[in-house]
Amino acid sequence: MLIKIPRGWEISENQATPESGYLNRRQLLRAAGFLGAAGLAAGGTAGGPYPAKRNPDFTLDRPITPDWAAEGYNNFYEFNQDDKQAVKNMVGKFQISPWTVEVVGLVNKPKKFDPDDLARTMPIEERLYRHRCVEAWAMAVPWTGFPFSELVKRVEPKPEAKYVRFISVFRPKEMPGQVQYTWYQWPYFEGLRMDEAMNPLAFMVTGLYGKPLPKQNGAPIRMVLPWKYGYKSAKSIVKIEFIAKEPDTFWHRSAPGEYGFYSNVNPAKPHPRWSQRTEKVIPDMERRPTQLYNGYEKWVAGMYNGKEY
Ligand SMILES: Nc1nc2c(c(=O)[nH]1)N[C@H]1C(S)=C(S)[C@@H](COP(=O)(O)O)O[C@H]1N2
Ligand SMILES: [Mo]
């Protein structure tokens, strides 16, 4: 294949952040009172299990990212790979209800779940987590969800189950990127080793900022893995499969030399096309040092021998 495939991540770091000026301008407008409720990214309606009680074990080393920034600057290639701020305006046709998450594969009790039922019946809590995209932008947000291990317990994996695969929704009629970007293998797919999936940090998320998850952030249900680059955390999941062998992943398939299976945040391991030493915190894009495992080594370092990438 000699065709040059355009990928969102194949742009220089300078080009990757034209939005910082825009976001600052928005902030100024908001401060001046020019943007009212209509200027906010649409979130879900509060009520039901939201807001959930915050788990005090997870603290931040920085302020919480403003909701309009985390809900208005999104990586969601099913909609748009070039303009993170356009995603929130492209999700209108995306139907998130009814929705079924199928849990299948090497389990004793395969099950189908409705995300709304999960939010009502699982031990949901709010966690403040840092998020680090492989592109270097970062944020810190209050997710609502439950430990993925709780769902695993309900399906009883067999001893042969060594990995978990996550598959996002395929809705070409509702997701223009799935039609336009023919060079990717849709739907989005990701994976974890079993011990990573059972780690207490692995969080299945149904809410953000004390409300149901906005569509652009991966409604109605997504994974959040704060010690890994953001692309490991699949959005809008419809299938979870327990398997015996390490699975391929969407980004590894697209660019095997650039994206490995583990993808743990590591400042010392540069991306082939840019450094990972520092990160840029949205919306102001001020630089901070990247932390090993995104600052979560206390929880996750014991799972690795330092060679995983
Ligand atoms: N299905 C799907 N999941 C996805 C992505 C995507 O394009 N499609 N992007 C990933 C990337 S690169 C990041 S950084 C996060 C972004 O999540 P956010 O928009 O809620 O911040 O989602 C991840 N999960
Ligand atoms: Mo990302």
Side-chain angles (χ1 to χ4, degrees):
M1 282 280 277
L2 292 169
I3 306 163
K4 175 71 180 155
I5 296 171
R7 282 186 208 100
W9 296 349
E10 286 187 1
I11 49 178
S12 75
E13 280 197 63
N14 279 350
Q15 285 174 292
T17 59
E19 54 289 332
S20 58
Y22 171 81
L23 290 171
N24 288 327
R25 192 166 74 246
R26 276 183 66 93
Q27 275 186 306
L28 291 172
L29 289 171
R30 282 178 61 79
F34 286 110
L35 291 180
L40 292 166
T45 318
Y50 306 98
K53 194 165 179 283
R54 186 172 292 175
N55 182 334
D57 294 349
F58 304 100
T59 53
L60 296 174
D61 58 352
R62 62 194 70 183
I64 295 178
T65 301
D67 56 359
W68 58 266
E71 296 175 359
Y73 185 89
N74 301 99
N75 265 346
F76 209 163
Y77 280 55
E78 283 85 338
F79 295 96
N80 197 319
Q81 69 166 18
D82 303 311
D83 184 352
K84 296 178 211 304
Q85 288 163 99
V87 173
K88 64 178 176 298
N89 302 320
M90 298 172 76
V91 294
K93 277 195 196 159
F94 178 31
Q95 295 297 319
I96 55 167
S97 175
W99 192 278
T100 305
V101 183
E102 252 190 298
V103 188
V104 297
L106 301 170
V107 295
N108 291 326
K109 296 183 171 169
K111 277 187 174 35
K112 287 179 180 173
F113 295 102
D114 170 342
D116 292 338
D117 290 343
L118 286 173
R120 277 192 294 269
T121 60
M122 285 291 187
I124 72 162
E125 60 185 47
E126 182 175 83
R127 293 187 182 184
L128 303 179
Y129 271 174
R130 289 184 295 278
H131 174 95
R132 172 61 155 79
C133 177
V134 74
E135 300 163 329
W137 62 270
M139 63 179 183
V141 300
W143 301 110
T144 307
F146 55 88
F148 181 65
S149 62
E150 292 292 331
L151 191 140
V152 176
K153 281 184 213 159
R154 290 207 193 177
V155 297
E156 296 179 12
K158 297 177 179 173
E160 314 90 86
K162 304 287 188 219
Y163 291 87
V164 192
R165 234 162 79 80
F166 301 89
I167 296 135
S168 297
V169 75
F170 185 62
R171 297 270 187 84
K173 292 206 172 96
E174 301 171 20
M175 302 177 130
Q178 291 183 334
V179 178
Q180 199 182 335
Y181 312 139
T182 53
W183 48 90
Y184 296 124
Q185 189 184 307
W186 302 107
Y188 198 92
F189 53 107
E190 256 302 339
L192 290 174
R193 206 169 61 191
M194 200 63 184
D195 58 336
E196 300 181 305
M198 296 303 286
N199 188 282
L201 283 187
F203 205 43
M204 279 237 96
V205 161
T206 60
L208 182 58
Y209 295 99
K211 301 168 299 171
L213 197 56
K215 291 180 183 179
Q216 63 269 27
N217 293 94
I221 191 161
R222 69 174 293 174
M223 197 45 119
V224 170
L225 308 159
W227 73 100
K228 292 181 177 287
Y229 291 118
Y231 63 86
K232 291 295 295 181
S233 298
K235 293 167 142 178
S236 305
I237 292 169
V238 291
K239 194 168 178 181
I240 299 172
E241 195 178 1
F242 288 77
I243 56 177
K245 295 221 161 64
E246 184 183 295
D248 200 0
T249 62
F250 182 86
W251 284 112
H252 180 261
R253 177 81 56 95
S254 301
E258 304 202 342
Y259 307 106
F261 177 75
Y262 287 96
S263 310
N264 295 319
V265 175
N266 184 349
K269 188 183 178 291
H271 184 279
R273 290 179 282 114
W274 59 84
S275 165
Q276 294 290 20
R277 284 271 162 218
T278 61
E279 62 193 30
K280 298 171 285 194
V281 182
I282 64 165
D284 298 322
M285 299 298 182
E286 94 271 9
R287 291 266 178 189
R288 294 183 65 120
T290 302
Q291 300 172 65
L292 182 60
Y293 300 119
N294 201 24
Y296 294 98
E297 57 269 65
K298 176 175 119 189
W299 282 269
V300 303
M303 297 192 293
Y304 304 114
N305 62 24
K307 291 196 180 67
E308 291 86 353
Y309 67 95

